[in-house]
Amino acid sequence: MQTPARTLCVLGELVVDLLPVPEAGVGPEGTSPHYVARPGGNALNVAVAAGRLGAPVRLLARLGTGPLAGHLRRHAELAGVDTAGFVDAGEPVSLAVVGLGPDGSPDYGFHVVGAADWQWTDEELDRVLPDEVGALHVGSISSWTEPGSAAIARLVPRLAGTALISVDPNIRPMLADGPVGASLGNDRPAVTRRLIELVAHADLVKVSAEDLAWLEPETTDLDEAARRWAERGPALVVLTDGGAPLRIARPGRPLLHRESPRVDVVDTVGAGDSLAAGLLTGLLAVGVADRTSLERLPDDELLALVDDAALVAALNCTRVGADPPTRDELSAARAHR
């Protein structure tokens, strides 16, 4: 009998994404674009994707105030996510206004100063963390924005060695640097330093070419960058580059490339989050819940899990916003590959 998968804990922010509705027009004067409010944020997207795939997942998040807060909670619950990790916070919910490029890639305008997501304390994290953690996924804005990032940075090394630690930098340049970043207390050196510390404790890192362009603007060779990141501490680095092949790097092993499925892209919002959820769900399902078991996982078994994760991300891209597939939808798509 297969051992039940241990709990995936996803720690991060809850964001309301305002997505444009192009077919609705912008009004007679061209100044009234229509938007639809959709639940989003790296952590919520990852948790919902994992929940839809059938994984036992708890979302650790500070739920802020405002009329859309209840929708965020309900979105998680409908996906089977355990919301016992929610902290009811007095600060406002984060808001992102999303624009879409011709290729479906998102552009963001953030309204997040004083938001609930970055205010974690050690006591709050201790209160919402379950007794049995199979994997902890951290990343995005809350992992590199003070004061909460300091509490997250203290939690990660405590769990390292007993749970699989996953990190996704998920850089948002506007919030990491420049005037808006400064309003949050962020700048390039501080954000980079905080992420380097997290990566050093990570077992798994999912990083995008866009993240690397901000973190290491001098980097031009993504193959070399993937190998270099794998030598910084992680047992596995997955480097994404839009629709280009994934790069899979493991310390002391040859770099691997994997093609992503070809689909008709509506937009790419939540694609990286869906991939991370698919990979973590797959790893826990086969009993990989610590660094040692990840290191022992043969390449062929790992690549099968990466292929599934890439398919989860591809299916998400066929729909508007972060809308990852269910386990049944993934199975149907896998059967038609």
Side-chain angles (χ1 to χ4, degrees):
M1 174 181 287
Q2 187 175 25
T3 301
R6 293 167 64 189
T7 300
L8 166 60
C9 289
V10 183
L11 169 55
E13 60 267 13
L14 300 167
V15 181
V16 174
D17 288 337
L18 290 184
L19 291 165
V21 184
E23 62 270 20
V26 292
E29 305 299 329
T31 59
S32 303
H34 288 232
Y35 289 84
V36 61
R38 288 183 175 269
N42 172 261
L44 181 59
N45 292 344
V46 172
V48 165
R52 289 184 181 179
L53 293 173
V57 54
R58 175 179 289 196
L59 177 56
L60 314 181
R62 303 184 87 252
L63 182 63
T65 60
L68 295 173
H71 298 282
L72 292 167
R73 182 189 294 274
R74 183 64 176 150
H75 184 63
E77 291 172 342
L78 286 171
V81 175
D82 177 7
T83 58
F86 278 24
V87 171
D88 291 324
E91 302 86 7
V93 166
S94 298
L95 178 67
V97 182
V98 184
L100 298 176
D103 62 350
S105 60
D107 181 29
Y108 295 92
F110 290 98
H111 302 267
V112 296
V113 174
D117 302 285
W118 345 120
Q119 317 301 327
W120 282 108
T121 66
D122 297 295
E123 292 75 18
E124 287 174 339
L125 288 173
D126 286 341
R127 190 166 72 243
V128 298
L129 200 70
D131 293 332
E132 292 292 330
V133 180
L136 175 70
H137 178 76
V138 303
S140 197
I141 310 160
S142 57
S143 72
W144 39 259
T145 298
E146 295 282 17
S149 62
I152 293 172
R154 288 188 288 270
L155 173 65
V156 165
R158 279 173 45 202
L159 291 180
T162 62
L164 198 66
I165 303 297
S166 170
V167 173
D168 179 359
N170 202 33
I171 294 292
R172 295 290 179 253
M174 182 183 296
L175 302 184
D177 201 8
V180 180
S183 70
L184 292 172
N186 288 332
D187 57 31
R188 188 183 296 268
V191 169
T192 301
R193 182 181 68 253
R194 291 164 193 159
L195 282 171
I196 288 173
E197 291 173 358
L198 286 177
V199 168
H201 292 289
D203 303 307
L204 164 61
V205 172
K206 198 283 292 180
V207 62
S208 69
E210 292 83 2
D211 292 334
L212 283 173
W214 190 88
L215 289 164
E216 301 177 356
E218 71 284 355
T219 295
T220 57
D221 186 337
L222 293 181
D223 283 0
E224 189 276 331
R227 284 189 288 262
R228 176 160 36 82
W229 274 58
E231 298 300 332
R232 290 181 174 177
L236 172 64
V237 172
V238 178
L239 197 162
T240 65
D241 185 18
L246 298 170
R247 292 167 171 84
I248 299 103
R250 308 175 83 177
R253 304 193 193 190
L255 182 72
L256 303 173
H257 294 85
R258 212 65 173 174
E259 291 285 344
S260 297
R262 298 299 172 188
V263 296
D264 293 328
V265 175
V266 173
D267 68 50
T268 61
V269 177
D273 306 331
S274 297
L275 186 144
L279 183 54
L280 287 165
T281 297
L283 287 168
L284 290 177
V286 298
V288 177
D290 56 46
R291 185 185 187 90
T292 299
S293 55
L294 178 58
E295 290 173 335
R296 291 175 178 170
L297 189 67
D299 281 349
D300 59 339
E301 295 182 27
L302 172 62
L303 290 176
L305 298 177
V306 169
D307 287 345
D308 258 8
L311 185 56
V312 172
L315 292 172
N316 175 85
C317 292
T318 64
R319 309 196 279 218
V320 174
D323 188 8
T326 64
R327 179 166 50 186
D328 288 345
E329 289 172 328
L330 175 63
S331 296
R334 190 191 295 125
H336 285 90
R337 291 183 65 183

